[in-house]
Amino acid sequence: MKKLVERLNAAFNLTEDLVNGLSVQELELTLGDLPSNTIGEQIWCIVGARESYLQAVIHNEWIGFSCSLKDLTSHSSVMDSLKSSSKACIDQIDSTDLNDTQIDYLFTLLEHEIQHHGQLIRYIYGNKLHFPKSWNERYTV
């Protein structure tokens, strides 16, 4: 369990580090002419997954997807949502004796977060933005 928490924390921290270095205008970027949503909408999905999988862990069953992040035009709102969703997940893990179903939800959450990291790498390259040092060290980008 300790290793899972370490990996979740690392993934959450990487996401926050990347988004912290983006401007509001950069959160509105897409992948040019390719079918894509915005970077901010990618973050909305990340926050929603954190919140939704947290509810699945709490209730020991999938409740459905929902996201409290409404304002993608406010950098502080986006960062607050990333931080609060990360903290809520880790706090729940630390205070719960998890069963196999709950652990599976958390592994799926980790996979989801990392899958978005791959997508975000494409957005950063596609828009000629810069990666924070933590991403260079983790993903050799």
Side-chain angles (χ1 to χ4, degrees):
M1 182 60 56
K2 180 182 176 191
K3 206 51 141 163
L4 175 58
V5 172
E6 287 175 9
R7 292 294 177 114
L8 282 166
N9 263 323
F12 293 164
N13 289 336
L14 282 165
T15 303
E16 288 177 23
D17 201 21
L18 179 72
V19 175
N20 193 46
L22 298 174
S23 68
V24 171
Q25 294 77 21
E26 290 168 337
L27 289 173
E28 296 173 356
L29 294 173
T30 63
L31 282 173
D33 294 335
L34 298 173
S36 62
N37 56 9
T38 67
I39 293 173
E41 288 166 330
Q42 291 280 314
I43 304 310
W44 176 87
C45 188
I46 290 170
V47 170
R50 291 176 182 183
E51 293 173 347
S52 299
Y53 280 107
L54 173 60
Q55 289 305 306
V57 168
I58 291 169
H59 297 285
N60 202 36
E61 67 178 341
W62 184 250
I63 305 298
F65 184 92
S66 65
C67 183
S68 66
L69 176 57
K70 303 298 183 214
D71 187 0
L72 298 177
T73 63
S74 165
H75 192 271
S76 63
S77 177
V78 172
M79 286 304 298
D80 288 347
S81 292
L82 282 170
K83 289 177 182 179
S84 65
S85 61
S86 170
K87 183 178 181 335
C89 285
I90 299 304
D91 287 351
Q92 183 65 35
I93 294 168
D94 288 343
S95 67
T96 305
D97 225 358
L98 300 169
N99 63 38
D100 287 345
T101 300
Q102 293 166 312
I103 292 169
D104 282 343
Y105 285 130
L106 292 170
F107 272 112
T108 303
L109 172 60
L110 177 60
E111 292 167 356
H112 180 267
E113 189 102 7
I114 298 306
Q115 178 260 339
H116 273 286
H117 284 185
Q119 290 179 335
L120 289 166
I121 287 169
R122 298 307 314 149
Y123 279 80
I124 301 304
Y125 277 137
N127 287 290
K128 297 179 178 27
L129 303 176
H130 298 285
F131 292 97
K133 182 179 179 186
S134 60
W135 281 62
N136 287 314
E137 291 171 352
R138 175 64 179 103
Y139 294 120
T140 319
V141 289

